[in-house]
């Protein structure tokens, strides 16, 4: 999805529903230009505004005029629990990041954000994978555009890639409106990562 307001950019967003910044609107238009003539059979989005508005822009611009945006709660960003809204420089958040990194490097994805509703990477993988599995059940749909969030993408692609976190972490963070490709083989019933973090080709948003 596109960028959010800069005054919010230095806070932990999580599932806070924040709108796109003017820059994010332009990024969404650029993404729409990039994808306009690619085959897309369905569009599924997180219901959070920053993803949903990006999805709607892509659908509006796309050559397939029959597309509609479907929403899936399982594609929402990670719930950071008590840390949502905290500044990235807050001691509590920095401590959380350090402890999480240590557990991820040890191969454990179960370290949860503090608070009753805080989620771990393992939690994200379960709900995001379930969403993708449901999409893969429709044999008439081959190419699905999914609009979601960085923590979801990281958790899901890390598992599918089979890499260690040390190998994978250099691929993050993901730029806004970058494109990642995940492939499902209906014969083997296996997932694979086709491409990670494809950056936008700069284009005029008036295409």
């Amino acid at each position: 999805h596109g960028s959010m307001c800069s005054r919010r950019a230095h806070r932990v967003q999580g599932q806070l529903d924040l709108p796109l910044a003017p820059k994010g609107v332009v990024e969404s238009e650029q993404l729409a230009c990039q994808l306009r003539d690619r085959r897309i059979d369905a569009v599924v989005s997180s219901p959070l505004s920053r993803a949903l508005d990006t999805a709607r822009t892509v659908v509006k611009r796309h050559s397939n005029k029959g597309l509609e945006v479907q929403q899936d709660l399982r594609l929402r960003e990670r719930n950071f629990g008590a840390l949502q809204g905290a500044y990235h420089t807050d001691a509590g958040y920095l401590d959380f990041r350090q402890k999480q990194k240590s557990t991820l490097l040890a191969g454990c994805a179960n370290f949860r954000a503090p608070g009753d509703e805080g989620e771990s990477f393992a939690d994200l993988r379960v709900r995001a994978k379930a969403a993708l599995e449901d999409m893969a059940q429709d044999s008439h749909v081959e190419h699905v555009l999914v609009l979601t969030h960085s923590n979801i993408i990281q958790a899901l692609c890390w598992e599918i890639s089979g890499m260690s976190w040390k190998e994978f972490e250099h691929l993050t963070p993901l730029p806004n409106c970058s494109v990642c490709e995940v492939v499902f083989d209906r014969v083997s019933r296996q997932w694979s990562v086709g491409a990670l973090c494809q950056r936008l080709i700069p284009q005029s948003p008036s295409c």
Side-chain angles (χ1 to χ4, degrees), residues 148-189:
T148 186
H149 308 272
S150 61
N151 278 267
I152 290 285
I153 296 169
Q154 291 167 0
L156 191 59
C157 289
W158 176 34
E159 180 191 23
I160 292 173
S161 71
M163 297 180 186
S164 69
W165 182 254
K166 186 175 182 179
E167 294 172 308
F168 187 81
E169 67 173 339
H170 75 279
L171 302 173
T172 58
L174 304 171
N176 288 100
C177 280
S178 58
V179 177
C180 300
E181 182 184 31
V182 176
V183 180
F184 180 66
D185 186 319
R186 286 198 168 103
V187 176
S188 66
R189 311 297 295 177

Side-chain angles (χ1 to χ4, degrees), residues 10 21 29 52 57 61 68 74 92 114 120 129 148 165 182 188:
H10 303 297
E29 292 281 2
L52 189 57
T57 299
R61 294 283 191 183
E68 295 182 355
R74 295 171 294 184
S120 67
K129 189 78 171 290
T148 186
W165 182 254
V182 176
S188 66

Side-chain angles (χ1 to χ4, degrees), residues 75-177:
L75 297 175
R76 287 180 299 173
E77 179 57 289
R78 181 181 187 175
N79 190 322
F80 280 91
L83 293 174
Q84 289 191 157
Y87 283 101
H88 290 165
T89 53
D90 286 355
Y93 180 67
L94 293 174
D95 181 63
F96 163 77
R97 287 290 301 272
Q98 184 57 46
K99 290 178 179 177
Q100 174 178 260
K101 183 174 182 177
S102 296
T103 59
L104 291 175
L105 287 172
C108 178
N110 294 319
F111 186 71
R112 284 194 169 93
D116 293 340
E117 298 182 346
E119 291 183 297
S120 67
F121 263 36
D123 296 325
L124 300 186
R125 291 193 311 209
V126 169
R127 61 178 169 90
K129 189 78 171 290
L132 291 190
E133 293 282 0
D134 284 350
M135 296 175 206
Q137 297 306 311
D138 190 342
S139 60
H140 300 292
V141 174
E142 295 288 338
H143 299 267
V144 182
L145 178 66
V146 178
L147 279 295
T148 186
H149 308 272
S150 61
N151 278 267
I152 290 285
I153 296 169
Q154 291 167 0
L156 191 59
C157 289
W158 176 34
E159 180 191 23
I160 292 173
S161 71
M163 297 180 186
S164 69
W165 182 254
K166 186 175 182 179
E167 294 172 308
F168 187 81
E169 67 173 339
H170 75 279
L171 302 173
T172 58
L174 304 171
N176 288 100
C177 280

Side-chain angles (χ1 to χ4, degrees), residues 19-38:
L20 293 173
K23 177 184 177 183
V25 173
V26 172
E27 290 168 341
S28 298
E29 292 281 2
Q30 291 176 324
L31 179 64
C33 290
Q34 184 186 20
L35 299 179
R36 181 178 57 183
D37 295 318
R38 294 194 188 186

Side-chain angles (χ1 to χ4, degrees), residues 187-199:
V187 176
S188 66
R189 311 297 295 177
Q190 297 295 313
W191 293 89
S192 62
V193 178
L196 270 175
C197 197
Q198 295 179 329
R199 293 177 180 271

